[in-house]
């Protein structure tokens, strides 16, 4: 998933119930500082924006709410929340590739409540490394040996099985899996739609929903819970 580097300086939006009704970000590209404006207060976070540690960090929006993008060979996205104490990280998403088996890695961790600090970029990177060794660490060698497609079970959201399917070796080389879900009633195929397999910090090994990318510009995610996925998975499985 590729994004051009935004040159936006000030971003305004409203946020969901339970958070401050007036929350927007402004960034200073000269000193790399990020400022969260929450109601009538300002909270400044130094050395956040710009090129740091070989990564490009910029402020942006996800679902019309303030967010941070960290772009490099792999890409990382952070949704933010705010209250009377300032802004903090809610979810961290990773969009990359496992160099060991070629698999695409799309996953997220939510309910983080992490502070925005200079090295916050490591949050999604650390989770991504763990997912590359576990959820997305499956053996793709038989695909290469036999020049064929394959599918891999990523996990279960309740009773729903979530798979990444590579129709061909070319799809693996491009790290472009096609996600689908399966229940006792049938399947649903997302085809070319990208979907993050999302976890919560309290149960880091148990996926709880899929966040499907509905649009890149603007960046919109559609959260699919177990109940929603169950209603979708009624088609005949291939």
């Amino acid at each position: 998933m590729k994004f051009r580097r935004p040159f936006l300086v000030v971003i305004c939006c409203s946020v969901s119930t339970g958070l401050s009704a007036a929350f927007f970000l402004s960034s200073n590209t000269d000193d790399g500082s990020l400022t969260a404006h929450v109601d009538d207060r300002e909270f400044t976070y130094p050395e956040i924006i710009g090129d740091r540690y070989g990564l490009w960090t910029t402020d942006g929006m996800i679902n019309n709410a303030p967010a941070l993008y960290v772009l490099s060979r792999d890409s990382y996205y952070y949704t933010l929340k705010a209250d009377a104490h300032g802004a903090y990280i809610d979810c961290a998403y990773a969009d990359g590739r496992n160099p060991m088996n070629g698999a695409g890695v799309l996953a997220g961790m939510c309910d983080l409540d992490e502070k925005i600090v200079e090295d916050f970029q490591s949050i999604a990177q650390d989770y991504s490394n763990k997912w590359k060794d576990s959820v997305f660490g499956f053996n793709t060698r038989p695909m290469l040996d036999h020049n064929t497609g394959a599918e891999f079970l990523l996990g279960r959201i309740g009773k729903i099985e979530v798979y990444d399917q590579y129709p061909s070796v070319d799809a693996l080389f491009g790290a472009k899996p096609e996600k689908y879900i399966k229940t006792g009633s049938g399947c649903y195929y997302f085809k070319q739609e990208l979907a993050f397999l999302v976890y919560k910090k309290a149960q880091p090994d148990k996926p709880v929903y899929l966040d499907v990318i509905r649009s890149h510009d603007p960046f919109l995610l559609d959260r699919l819970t177990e109940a929603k996925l169950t209603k979708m998975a009624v088609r005949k499985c291939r």
Side-chain angles (χ1 to χ4, degrees), residues 150-205:
E151 60 183 40
F152 304 93
L153 176 64
L154 302 182
R156 293 176 174 83
I157 300 175
K159 296 181 180 179
I160 298 169
E161 296 178 346
V162 181
Y163 292 85
D164 265 359
Q165 177 178 316
Y166 292 88
S168 66
V169 173
D170 286 342
L172 179 64
F173 286 156
K176 295 181 178 179
E178 295 181 4
K179 194 165 263 82
Y180 80 92
I181 56 174
K182 182 178 181 180
T183 69
S185 300
C187 294
Y188 181 85
Y189 296 86
F190 290 90
K191 298 181 180 179
Q192 300 302 316
E193 292 180 307
L194 300 177
F196 294 99
L197 185 66
V198 182
Y199 302 80
K200 289 186 177 181
K201 186 177 180 180
Q203 294 181 295
D205 299 321

